[in-house]
Amino acid sequence: MSEAIAEDTGIGAPVRRREDARFITGTGRYTDDLNQPGQVYGVFCRSPHARAKINGVDAEEALGIPGVLGVYTGTEMVADGIGDLPCGWLVKDKAGNDMRSAPHPPLAATQVNYVGEPYALVVADSLQAARQGAESVNAEFEELHAVVELGSATVSEQIYEGIDHNLAYEWALGEEDATRMAFARAAHVTTLELTNNRLIPNAMEPRACLGVHDAATGDYTLYTTSQNPHLERLVLSAFVQVAPEHKLRVVAPDVGGGFGSKIFIYAEETAVIWAAAKVGRPIKWVADRSESFLADAHGRDHITRAELALDEQGRFTGLRVKTTANLGAYLSTFGSSVPTYLYGTLLAGQYKTPNIYVEVQGVYTNTAPVDAYRGAGRPEATYVVERIVEQAARELGKDPADLRRMNMIQPEDFPYETPVALTYDTGNYEASLDKALELIDYAGFEGRRAAAAEQNKRRGIGFACYIEACGLAPSKLAIELGAGVGLYESGEIRMNPTGNVSVFTGSHSHGQGHETTFAQVVSDKLGVPYDDVDIVHGDTGRMEFGLGTYGSRSLAVGGSALIAAAEKIIEKGKKIAAHMMQTTPEQVDFDDGTFSLQDSNQSVTIQEVAFAAYVPADYPEDLEPGLTEKAFYDPNNFTYPAGTHIAEVEVDIETGVVELVNFVAVDDFGHIINPLIVHGQVHGGVAQGAGQALMEHGIYDEYGQLQTGSMMDYCLPRADDLPDFQVDTTVTPCTHNPLGVKGCGEAGAIGSPAAIMNAVTHALGTKDIAMPATPEKVWRAVRGE
């Protein structure tokens, strides 16, 4: 990192993450580190078939193994009244009809629909016995034809009764007739067929859970690797009906990464918490990496035809997109919204394209469910827009930077209403483009290209000018569009009697550094020492209902809730301070932790006010004691981070190996709370985007067997695959939240795939090569195959 570590700890200071001390010394507390008296272990029996009827499950041999306490099946869950796992976003099709949702039991009872789907849970007093028991369960399957290929799924055998053509929905956004007219008048039309490859998340910590039932009180506690413990509790109580909400506590302790894949409500934790009551002992389950490959929700997996219409000057007049999105075997928690409202609404990009129309087919296949993965719809939209803009520049013989610049929304255009339902509040896209061009030394590219050619390598450069929508909001609009819950966030601040601060947030940290940035925000707002602020999250038993962490929402929504709570603290503090100084609240100012009497040298600190609020009880008669405040924050719009990413690659024409030799990311995240953490988030996102562009691909064979089910087959980027990134920012503050922040967690994964693939195709002189650009694909492209 380029920043010096600051002694200052306020907003804008590059403070080291306080949570890293426990992580790098092995003292973090992850779910698998937690144990309960009398704990037993669970292992799941998983389908070996992509699609099959279950004609019976024989557990007799398994139950005879010493230590095996029970074998629990989907049939028993149904008999106990356990409901299906719901999809949390109701999408309507083009005709206004509800999407067609396939039933999704936690444990398959009558039919399995993807390899790895759980159909039974074996519980034993040791992990070894549980594994042996799972291997001894005999299930009778009647194998059925599996629908695997996305491109032909709508004309393949029907997977579910009543769901014709395997279509969950056919969704559309934009004005079809106006867009058609724009194409009829176009001077030039660029067309591109694109593939957005399936990704498998692979967070550092696999999913895990520990289910506990107290028979004496009827209370349940679920410790789990969740990005959203309150949503987990809500769904398990209200929809799946494992336990009443007031009897269910969900705790997400330290969580080792999520990238979206731990937002969802999975079968495993549902079965474990249910079975804990059946067996009468706490049950722990921890996925092994092979299970994670098979059963974690996957990401992306689109095939798209895109067309861009331009006039004689090269201005965009229309964009038409048709996408087929793989939903997998079931609609995961947010699976329906990712290829629709999180995708189609971003197809305007940074440009003033007046006419846009998008159609999306959401298709069931006999593969693992597909849901949000870092960026969730925004990377897919950026890939479409930025790949076709780059191709249009090549076809017209224009510089790709110049073509983008002439079509960009300008600062004076804001607020800008797009043709696809969003209103951007602010931005300066050219500023990011200009800074990125300078950092990459665009003027010197041809010299570097010539030098590479002397080494028998082809060098290419590629752009991506992305925009994303973060902090999903407002709740009323989201619910009108089909969201199952509001999208606000909660925060609580407790000034303790001795002056230190406990902060409770409904957001959840699993690598983002909330314990640091939230402490910076509260410290700065209240004027208390940073080290005196403690952040508590991830426990439904300790805080107000919250909506967790996803979509780069934590600071924009969760941080804003804390600002609102802090303002309430200050407002009450003024009343107490006025009482202490024998004046009126209107005569009291607050700044940097001190309440001061106007036109006087009298003052009291916020710590003194907190002490008075509790111990001497020196507060006005019309106030309650204490200094604790709660707040909910519901944004009135999305935030819109944007930026320019530029990649340079070199292709070895003898081997097809692509080397990412330079990468520049200039992002506008609004106000920056902690630049050290922001740069770290961008670095991680770019690494994941490079993985998608060059290496990662979840592949099933024609029978629905996962061919990339281990690290031997699924290639992830390593440090030596990546250059030293150049990361910088521009700033246009968000206009509608009190911090002026926009969100940074996903940007790297949004801009980088398009930038890298544009660089690869530039180097090769080809129109397209399907992601990932593996050495074999590139080698064949070099030879015109």
Side-chain angles (χ1 to χ4, degrees), residues 9 40 77 84 142 186-187 202 285 345 347 363 451 483 521 627 752:
T9 56
V40 295
M77 294 191 82
D84 287 344
E142 180 184 336
N202 279 295
W285 168 77
T345 55
L347 287 171
V363 178
V521 167
L627 197 55
S752 55

Side-chain angles (χ1 to χ4, degrees), residues 8 21 30 104 136 270-271 316 360 384 526 538 565 596 613 673 704:
D8 176 24
Y30 299 91
H104 187 185
S136 301
T270 306
F316 307 157
V360 177
V384 170
L526 294 181
S596 302
I673 304 300

Side-chain angles (χ1 to χ4, degrees), residues 377-387 464-467 750-751 754:
R378 282 71 57 88
E380 296 92 316
T382 295
Y383 193 71
V384 170
V385 173
E386 290 305 295
R387 287 287 293 111
C465 296
Y466 76 93
I467 191 166
I750 291 171

Side-chain angles (χ1 to χ4, degrees), residues 129-152:
R131 286 174 173 166
Q132 186 180 355
E135 292 172 358
S136 301
V137 171
N138 295 304
E140 182 183 341
F141 293 106
E142 180 184 336
E143 194 169 0
L144 303 171
H145 174 74
V147 177
V148 180
E149 176 58 42
L150 177 59
S152 60

Side-chain angles (χ1 to χ4, degrees), residues 29-42 207-213 220-226 232 236 248-253 268-276 281-287:
R29 296 283 287 170
Y30 299 91
T31 299
D32 193 28
D33 294 320
L34 307 178
N35 295 289
Q36 292 283 320
Q39 174 181 295
V40 295
Y41 298 86
R207 288 190 294 117
C209 62
L210 172 60
V212 182
H213 177 249
Y220 292 78
T221 302
L222 176 65
Y223 301 91
T224 186
T225 50
S226 174
E232 181 105 30
L236 290 179
L248 176 60
R249 177 187 176 196
V250 177
V251 181
E268 289 85 358
E269 61 256 31
T270 306
V272 163
I273 191 64
W274 166 77
R281 291 169 69 179
I283 302 174
K284 178 186 281 189
W285 168 77
V286 180

Side-chain angles (χ1 to χ4, degrees), residues 43-46 48 54 56-65 68 70-73 119-123 129-141:
V43 171
F44 286 91
C45 301
R46 298 184 181 276
I54 302 174
V57 177
D58 183 357
E60 183 177 354
E61 182 181 347
L63 290 170
I65 294 172
V68 171
V71 177
Y72 302 98
T73 66
Y119 63 87
L121 170 62
V122 177
V123 178
R131 286 174 173 166
Q132 186 180 355
E135 292 172 358
S136 301
V137 171
N138 295 304
E140 182 183 341
F141 293 106

Side-chain angles (χ1 to χ4, degrees), residues 68-133:
V68 171
L69 304 175
V71 177
Y72 302 98
T73 66
T75 302
E76 292 172 82
M77 294 191 82
V78 171
D80 266 13
I82 302 299
D84 287 344
L85 301 177
C87 177
W89 200 297
L90 178 64
V91 169
K92 294 186 179 293
D93 65 18
K94 292 190 292 185
N97 300 312
D98 290 347
M99 66 186 186
R100 292 163 288 282
S101 185
H104 187 185
L107 294 179
T110 60
Q111 183 168 312
V112 288
N113 287 300
Y114 66 94
V115 171
E117 181 173 4
Y119 63 87
L121 170 62
V122 177
V123 178
D125 58 15
S126 71
L127 182 57
Q128 182 179 359
R131 286 174 173 166
Q132 186 180 355

Side-chain angles (χ1 to χ4, degrees), residues 526-573:
L526 294 181
V528 298
Y530 165 79
D531 289 333
D532 285 354
V533 182
D534 185 42
I535 307 298
V536 181
H537 62 93
D539 186 343
T540 64
R542 298 187 66 184
M543 61 207 52
E544 291 282 355
F545 187 89
L547 273 302
T549 295
Y550 48 87
S552 303
R553 72 189 298 268
S554 295
L555 268 176
V557 188
S560 295
L562 293 178
I563 289 292
E567 288 173 346
K568 291 182 180 180
I569 290 278
I570 294 168
E571 189 63 26
K572 184 174 181 180

